[in-house]
């Protein structure tokens, strides 16, 4: 119990530290890397509450796929940090007031007097052979089938929207059509034989007068 | 709970829409540019079939499906019908506009169909999870549609603002939902409602969750002070997309308000009623006063939307069946009026013209008197001038507010309506008494003309005979 508590506070502290670093770093690549650290420590927290599948998926999908893609994008963009900072300082006082009020409010409501251990008993742990993934799949495909299907439609819309907003047909693009390449036949399609009269050696001064040798017969 | 195939019957309208959207998406791959009309036909047929499906599965009482994450009841039947009809009008109005700008592509139909699907899902949601997913489906389509014209920089800017603020609104809503979940241990509206009845106002977690959820609702409606996205989006987006944003999603937002505030948090009505009073007064004040100063007609109609949202909130905050029915009636009528007004603007924006400024509609009567009459009718209705139905809608809402003893609120609403009447009537004056600034001929297709006539006649006839629609709205809440 003691060790688990220690792990919780350790990973929670890392997650908090890393998320503060995400929004304060000057270099967007550093910010993205700190975000990775936030995700990893959050995944560890999930493992602690026995949500193993979610923890692993967080690392695989978010850290492995989404953040890597995000890093690529960040490296390609040229972001003017100074201009963003000026805005940030300008609205900082107002933001601090709102944040302060919100934090006090949330602390009063979400603190231990409403969500303390005496109100919510500690959940009993599952046995070692409990299959988190199977249970989750069971819930997804029965009780939550309808929301699950809607999520699928949302992903479809995301694809359509992204393609619509970014795909541009450029006339000057050079590309290979592999279907056409495969269809090429031996002989006529590959080699073109051109009949041409043999070249005669030209006198040097003549070639200079006519400015090149195009009109020679 | 295992899957029951009977659930599929209840979601028939949604299924029809989903299939139509996918069919359009695939058919578009094989169509040449001159065959794009088929997309349009498929879409219209799909929307019509979905309307038929609503009639088919409609029955008195409520049907739950998919482990109670979906509900079909009289409220969802009526509101789904309205959403589909408004979107049918949208497709007819927008055809020439989009075709002329080379935006007449399959994605346009597919995205709007998916947005419609999202609205239907919201209307039929019976748990916070379904509601949120429907909302996101709708919002995602709308963000993309606002930026649909890739050449337009104002469009991209509007989409960016909409996206950032929309994400903030969704975040606040989710935060509220998580608190309601923490307090009640369930996502279903029924579970939350039970907890509210058991704990009432004493449970501070429920109350704070309600505040956050209410902010989410106000954001989707565009009530002051969560309205800042509306003027820019209305100005920057293509006119048919503004038509879409200003009409049917308001109906879906109304369903969201009913499901969350009345069905799930009905026990906290005294609490959220107070907040709605503030939002309603601010919306009516800011919407009507700022609209007077606008020179861009789309921006002006954005502020007019904000003012109308204030009126819808008046009906909701009354907390009586009468008030809810009045708010529902107002929402439906507003969707029809807004569709008509933006429909006229979309029809005028052809032949290279793009109606943006108020002066662009000067002398419309000389150019096309029937279209001018329809636009004037919409403006009269929005201003609340009898016999157009806008008057009845305003009257019902005010009546509901007066009957709970908030006469001062009704007086405030009337005062701001009178200010609002100024800018609506200014549009009518420009249409009839000013000289046209352009001699461009208007080429309006026959089907669009028929659609705007039906839309206008509906506004006029509902003003004379509101009883049918009103009794539909009352049936839902009594």
């Amino acid at each position: 119990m003691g060790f688990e508590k220690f792990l919780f506070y350790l990973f929670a502290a890392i997650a908090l530290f890393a998320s503060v670093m995400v929004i304060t770093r000057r270099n967007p690549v550093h910010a993205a890397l700190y975000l990775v650290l936030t995700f990893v420590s959050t995944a560890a927290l999930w493992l602690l509450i026995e949500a193993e599948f979610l923890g692993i998926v967080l690392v695989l999908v978010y850290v492995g796929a989404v953040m890597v893609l995000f890093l690529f994008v960040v490296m390609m963009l040229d972001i003017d940090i100074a201009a963003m900072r000026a805005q940030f300082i300008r609205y900082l006082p107002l933001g601090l007031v709102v944040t302060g009020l919100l934090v006090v409010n949330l602390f009063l409501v979400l603190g231990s007097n409403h969500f303390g251990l005496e109100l919510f008993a500690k959940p009993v742990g599952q046995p070692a052979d409990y299959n988190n993934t199977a249970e989750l799949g069971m819930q997804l495909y029965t009780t939550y089938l309808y929301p699950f299907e809607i999520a699928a439609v949302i992903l479809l819309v995301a694809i359509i929207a992204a393609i619509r907003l970014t795909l541009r047909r450029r006339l000057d693009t050079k590309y290979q059509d592999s279907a056409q390449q495969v269809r090429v036949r031996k002989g006529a399609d590959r080699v073109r034989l051109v009949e041409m009269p043999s070249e005669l050696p030209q006198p040097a001064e003549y070639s200079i007068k006519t400015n090149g040798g195009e009109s020679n017969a | 709970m295992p899957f029951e195939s009977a659930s599929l019957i209840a979601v028939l309208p949604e299924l029809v829409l989903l299939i139509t959207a996918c069919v359009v998406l695939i058919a578009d791959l094989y169509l040449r540019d001159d065959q794009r009309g088929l997309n349009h036909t498929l879409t219209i047929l799909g929307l019509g079939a979905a309307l038929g499906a609503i009639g088919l599965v409609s029955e008195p009482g409520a049907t739950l499906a998919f482990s109670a994450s979906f509900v079909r009841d009289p409220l969802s039947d009526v509101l789904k019908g309205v959403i589909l009809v408004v979107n049918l009008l949208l497709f007819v109005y927008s055809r020439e506009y989009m075709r002329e700008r080379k935006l007449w592509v399959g994605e346009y139909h597919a995205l709007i169909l998916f947005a419609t699907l999202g609205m239907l899902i919201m209307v039929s949601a019976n748990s916070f999870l379904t509601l949120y997913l429907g909302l996101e489906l709708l919002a995602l389509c709308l963000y993309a549609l606002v930026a649909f014209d890739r050449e337009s920089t104002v469009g991209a800017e509007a989409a960016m603002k909409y996206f950032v603020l929309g994400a903030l609104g969704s975040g606040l809503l989710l935060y509220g939902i998580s608190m309601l979940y923490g307090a009640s241990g369930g996502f279903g509206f029924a579970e939350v409602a039970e907890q509210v009845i058991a704990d009432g106002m004493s449970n501070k977690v429920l109350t704070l969750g309600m505040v956050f959820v209410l902010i989410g609702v106000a954001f989707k409606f565009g009530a002051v002070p969560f309205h800042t996205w509306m003027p820019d989006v209305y100005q920057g987006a293509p006119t048919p997309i503004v038509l879409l944003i200003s009409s049917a999603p308001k109906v879906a937002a109304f369903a969201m308000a009913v499901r969350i505030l009345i069905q799930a948090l009905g026990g906290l009505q005294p609490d959220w009623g107070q907040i709605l009073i503030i939002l309603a007064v601010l919306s009516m004040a800011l919407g009507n006063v700022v609209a007077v100063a606008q020179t861009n007609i789309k921006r002006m109609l954005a502020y007019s939307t904000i003012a109308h949202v204030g009126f819808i909130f008046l009906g909701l905050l009354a907390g009586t069946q009468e008030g809810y029915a009045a708010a529902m009636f107002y929402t439906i009528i507003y969707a029809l009026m807004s569709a008509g007004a933006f429909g006229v603007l979309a029809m005028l924006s052809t032949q290279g013209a793009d109606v943006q400024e108020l002066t662009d509609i000067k002398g419309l009567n000389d150019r096309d008197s029937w279209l001018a009459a329809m636009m004037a009718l919409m403006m009269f209705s929005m201003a609340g001038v009898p016999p157009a139905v806008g008057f009845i809608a305003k009257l019902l809402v005010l009546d509901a507010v007066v009957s709970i003893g908030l006469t001062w609120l009704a007086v405030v609403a009337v005062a701001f309506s009178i200010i609002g009447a100024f800018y609506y009537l200014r549009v009518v004056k420009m249409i009839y008494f000013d000289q046209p600034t352009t001699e461009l001929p208007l080429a309006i297709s026959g089907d669009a003309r028929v659609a705007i006539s039906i839309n206008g006649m509906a506004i006029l006839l509902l003003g004379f005979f509101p009883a049918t629609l009103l009794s539909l709205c009352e049936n839902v809440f009594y």
Side-chain angles (χ1 to χ4, degrees):
Chain A
M1 181 57 214
F3 184 60
E4 261 182 46
K5 212 172 212 170
F6 165 73
L7 282 182
F8 170 78
Y9 282 115
L10 178 68
F11 285 118
I14 295 176
L16 279 180
F17 162 76
S19 42
V20 170
M21 295 301 264
V22 171
I23 55 170
T24 49
R25 285 310 85 191
R26 200 175 274 273
N27 187 331
V29 177
H30 292 178
L33 288 173
Y34 273 112
L35 195 57
V36 171
L37 182 58
T38 316
F39 282 139
V40 172
S41 40
T42 316
L45 289 180
W46 281 5
L47 288 183
L48 279 178
I49 54 167
E50 299 187 2
E52 291 91 1
F53 180 74
L54 292 181
I56 293 167
V57 164
L58 187 69
V59 172
L60 279 183
V61 176
Y62 266 85
V63 178
V66 177
M67 285 315 296
V68 171
L69 212 63
F70 196 76
L71 267 179
F72 275 128
V73 174
V74 165
M75 286 174 183
M76 278 188 249
L77 290 180
D78 178 28
I79 303 168
D80 188 359
I81 302 287
M84 284 163 72
R85 238 153 226 268
Q87 295 278 325
F88 181 72
I89 300 290
R90 203 174 134 209
Y91 292 108
L92 190 63
L94 183 68
L96 281 181
V97 170
V98 173
T99 315
L101 282 174
L102 205 62
V103 166
V104 171
N105 223 326
L106 292 177
F107 188 76
L108 288 177
V109 172
L110 302 179
S112 54
N113 49 342
H114 286 105
F115 287 100
L117 269 181
E118 63 274 19
L119 291 169
F120 289 88
K122 182 176 181 289
V124 192
Q126 302 291 349
D129 60 343
Y130 180 80
N131 192 337
N132 200 300
T133 315
E135 288 303 314
L136 212 61
M138 207 63 181
Q139 286 290 310
L140 264 189
Y141 288 101
T142 54
T143 314
Y144 296 106
L145 179 67
Y146 186 56
F148 183 74
E149 295 291 334
I150 302 172
V153 178
I154 291 180
L155 290 180
L156 176 62
V157 166
I159 298 172
I160 300 170
I163 292 177
R164 165 65 205 174
L165 294 183
T166 53
L167 183 71
R168 284 172 165 75
R169 254 184 240 295
R170 289 176 49 177
L171 293 174
D172 55 345
T173 321
K174 306 276 188 292
Y175 61 93
Q176 291 179 319
D177 188 346
S178 40
Q180 273 193 344
Q181 287 178 327
V182 170
R183 233 179 280 137
V184 168
R185 285 159 300 157
K186 195 178 167 190
D189 285 347
R190 283 202 181 151
V191 188
R192 191 161 59 95
L193 292 177
V194 186
E195 286 283 341
M196 238 183 123
S198 53
E199 299 268 332
L200 292 173
Q202 301 281 325
E205 59 278 296
Y206 178 73
S207 119
I208 291 164
K209 268 181 219 152
T210 54
N211 210 355
E214 291 101 333
S215 60
N216 52 354
Chain B
M1 202 188 292
F3 168 69
E4 293 158 10
S5 50
S7 292
L8 287 176
I9 309 269
V11 293
L12 196 59
E14 282 86 351
L15 277 182
V16 170
L17 268 188
L18 178 61
I19 292 169
T20 313
C22 293
V23 167
V24 168
L25 211 53
I26 294 172
D28 187 57
L29 286 176
Y30 297 96
L31 292 179
R32 288 195 314 271
D33 272 344
D34 56 329
Q35 294 171 325
R36 301 269 175 223
L38 185 65
N39 284 334
H40 184 71
T41 318
L42 280 174
T43 309
I44 300 275
L45 284 178
L47 287 173
L51 265 177
I54 293 175
L56 208 64
V57 297
S58 162
E59 58 190 28
T63 325
L64 293 180
F66 289 109
S67 314
S69 43
F70 174 95
V71 63
R72 188 220 55 77
D73 54 8
L75 174 76
S76 75
D77 286 345
V78 176
L79 293 185
K80 280 180 191 176
V82 173
I83 289 171
L84 290 175
V85 168
V86 168
N87 281 353
L88 264 177
L89 291 174
L90 159 71
F91 277 111
V92 178
Y93 292 151
S94 68
R95 192 178 59 181
E96 291 308 318
Y97 184 100
M98 300 306 270
R99 182 145 63 190
E100 199 173 277
R101 285 162 181 75
K102 304 260 185 291
L103 301 174
W104 184 243
V105 288
E107 293 95 329
Y108 172 69
H109 300 90
L111 281 175
I112 295 186
L113 283 170
F114 279 122
T116 316
L117 177 66
M119 291 185 243
L120 261 54
I121 290 170
M122 280 170 77
V123 168
S124 263
N126 198 35
S127 79
F128 279 106
L129 193 58
T130 321
L131 183 84
Y132 177 73
L133 286 171
L135 184 68
E136 280 306 290
L137 179 56
L138 167 65
L140 211 57
C141 293
L142 290 184
Y143 302 146
L145 283 165
V146 169
F148 203 73
D149 186 0
R150 290 184 302 209
E151 311 299 315
S152 154
T153 47
V154 277
E157 188 193 329
M160 204 59 213
K161 282 180 181 161
Y162 191 22
F163 178 71
V164 172
L165 290 172
L168 187 66
S170 296
L172 290 173
L173 179 71
L174 265 187
Y175 208 40
I177 292 174
S178 76
M179 281 181 217
L180 294 179
Y181 176 75
S184 67
F187 279 126
F189 294 146
E191 289 154 297
V192 176
E194 268 171 36
Q195 193 68 34
V196 170
I197 290 167
D199 291 1
M201 316 273 279
S202 63
N203 192 334
K204 290 285 171 291
V205 183
L206 275 178
T207 317
L208 192 68
M210 180 271 289
V211 172
F212 275 100
V213 168
L214 192 58
I215 292 174
V217 172
F219 185 88
K220 294 301 158 191
F221 261 115
V224 179
F226 310 103
H227 67 287
T228 41
W229 57 276
M230 290 205 1
D232 289 332
V233 169
Y234 275 45
Q235 189 179 0
T239 309
I241 306 304
V242 184
L243 195 173
L244 173 70
I245 293 177
S246 73
S247 54
K250 298 287 180 261
V251 179
F254 175 78
M256 176 176 161
V258 170
R259 299 277 183 215
I260 293 183
L261 296 181
I262 300 171
Q263 291 185 358
L265 302 172
L268 297 175
Q269 197 276 333
D271 253 2
W272 55 254
Q274 298 286 319
I275 303 177
L276 280 188
I277 291 181
I278 301 171
L279 293 180
V281 171
L282 284 178
S283 300
M284 287 187 296
L286 187 128
N288 280 320
V289 172
V290 179
V292 172
Q294 301 304 315
T295 55
N296 182 304
I297 188 164
K298 282 156 84 182
R299 232 179 147 78
M300 185 200 94
L301 285 172
Y303 283 105
S304 132
T305 306
I306 297 170
H308 285 289
V309 166
F311 260 92
I312 294 171
F313 279 6
L314 283 187
L316 283 174
L317 67 86
T320 55
Q321 268 107 354
E322 185 200 357
Y324 299 150
M328 184 171 167
F329 186 81
Y330 201 105
T331 313
I332 294 172
I333 295 304
Y334 176 70
L336 285 175
M337 295 190 297
S338 183
F342 281 108
V344 172
L345 294 189
M347 276 184 241
L348 293 178
S349 302
T350 48
Q351 318 281 316
D354 195 7
V355 174
Q356 288 282 345
E357 297 301 313
L358 268 172
T359 49
D360 290 343
I361 56 161
K362 273 186 179 176
L364 180 59
N365 186 42
D366 295 341
R367 298 165 69 199
D368 190 321
S369 54
W370 182 245
L371 214 54
M374 290 300 129
M375 187 66 180
L377 191 59
M378 298 301 161
M379 290 297 122
F380 276 129
S381 185
M382 283 192 183
V385 178
V389 67
F391 168 72
I392 312 263
K394 280 194 167 50
L395 188 68
L396 286 168
V397 169
L398 292 176
D399 187 41
V401 175
V402 170
S403 67
I404 58 157
L406 290 174
T407 317
W408 69 270
L409 194 55
V411 173
V412 169
V414 170
F416 284 119
S417 290
I418 293 171
I419 298 176
F422 165 73
Y423 61 85
Y424 293 124
L425 296 182
R426 183 173 58 182
V427 173
V428 176
K429 175 232 165 205
M430 284 182 171
I431 292 175
Y432 280 99
F433 301 112
D434 285 353
Q435 290 304 313
T437 49
T438 167
E439 289 302 318
L440 277 177
L442 286 171
I444 292 156
S445 63
D447 51 352
R449 205 172 269 281
V450 169
I452 190 73
S453 307
I454 294 173
N455 199 334
M457 284 304 115
I459 295 294
L460 193 61
L461 288 178
L462 281 171
F464 287 116
F465 312 105
T468 325
L469 183 60
L470 189 58
S471 66
L472 268 181
C473 296
E474 281 169 346
N475 275 341
V476 169
F477 292 106
Y478 283 94

